[in-house]
Amino acid sequence: MTEMTKASLEGFRAELRAWLEENCPEEMRDGKRTEDGICWGGKNWVFTSEAQKLWLDRCAAKGYTVPRWPVEYGGAGLNRDQEKIFKEEMNRINARSPLESFGIWMLGPALLHFGSHEQKLHYLPPIARGEIRWCQGYSEPGAGSDLASVQTRGEDKGDHWLVNGQKIWTSYADKADWIFALVRTDREAPKHKGISFLLIDMEDPGVETRPIKMISGISPFCETFFTDVKVPKHQIVGEENKGWDVAKYLLTHEREMISGGAGGLTGTGRALGAVLKETMEEMDATLRADAMRCEIDTLAIGLTLERYKDQAEAGQGAGDASAMLKYMGTELNKQRHELMMSAGGSDALEWDGPLGNRAGDWLRTKANSIEGGTSEVMLSIVSRRVLGLPG
């Protein structure tokens, strides 16, 4: 890196730091990552405070909800080095993320890679502004880990497909405005072929959702039903019957997103060690050692994630290694919450006690090793495709 480049980056840091100090509301500087602190956006989103709305509006205007996306699609057009500085400065003031979205994490990268210019202009800026909330229509009752066995079908009707079938585990489908779904458009083709990647308006006639209550007591997952839903032909991403290519690409980003749950924070904006110290007057040696090990592993996976992002910048995506990241991230998240349960003692068993819903949060982590591909499937991918072990 040249001195001029270093100077340019330091200038960017100074400008960004000044902007954040001036524009991030004090209420948004608690680093909160729990459900009641997240802004999901969408047509029906109700802001928890004026500060939350102000923070989203200000960041969206600068492109900071999707800092790496091109400016013409609603982003800030930052390069990789600038993105690192952006994250560092956000962490420095403990700022909340202005917007969380499956549109940002999963659909956006797929559209940037496979979408037409018209699709990018149409769909990406509303995602960046938090105006449209998306959900993912992948898994079905008979197609979970074996995702290519999807049977939701689309019948060609000339200018549209007539879609019928069912999806399951569609997170927040009852709150989403649109869904990106895998639909079988050629029933005679081998199962990895004949699948198309369609974008469907959740308000279209024939779309129905039913929440599924989880062991944690909340219902983020849904069943989603399609009955004679008309989907215009222009709402396909990529080529007809080649949606599996889009699906695989998106899954890589989904697994990287889930692995990001090992980012070291507990949902309160503080590191694990700080929470455990606050919960227990005196931490026993075994718990202290387990906590230190978890913190070190968390730092390690964070650095690994950054390395893969740097490789992606150089044209080398994470590919099958995303399975390794997903496995480690979800296992670390479970370990972190188990340690918090141990530190909380009997108080942690309460659903609405002095420690909040720590028990519910702990139970929720169990789903992390199922969603996005089970841990067993991730280990199989790592063994065969990353390590090259015999089947």
Side-chain angles (χ1 to χ4, degrees), residues 254-271:
E254 180 187 18
R255 289 167 182 165
E256 289 177 5
M257 176 270 293
I258 294 174
S259 71
L265 299 179
T266 59
T268 61
R270 291 171 295 155

Side-chain angles (χ1 to χ4, degrees), residues 37-89:
I38 292 174
C39 176
W40 287 103
K43 295 178 182 177
N44 300 312
W45 178 253
V46 177
F47 291 96
T48 58
S49 66
E50 183 60 33
Q52 188 184 62
K53 182 179 187 304
L54 188 64
W55 182 224
L56 171 60
D57 290 344
R58 287 175 174 175
C59 285
K62 289 285 288 185
Y64 286 159
T65 57
V66 284
R68 288 298 307 280
W69 289 10
V71 173
E72 64 178 324
Y73 302 140
L78 303 188
N79 61 35
R80 179 76 179 115
D81 291 326
Q82 289 173 322
E83 181 193 34
K84 291 179 181 179
I85 291 172
F86 178 81
K87 289 181 178 179
E88 290 170 0
E89 291 301 312

Side-chain angles (χ1 to χ4, degrees), residues 320 324 379-390:
D320 292 326
M324 175 184 67
L379 289 174
S380 179
I381 292 172
V382 171
S383 66
R384 289 185 288 110
R385 300 181 186 172
V386 179
L387 299 177
L389 299 177

Side-chain angles (χ1 to χ4, degrees), residues 12-27:
F12 171 75
R13 184 187 295 276
E15 181 182 337
L16 174 63
R17 180 174 293 187
W19 187 90
L20 288 173
E21 289 293 351
E22 181 179 351
N23 288 279
C24 183
E26 194 63 36
E27 187 179 331

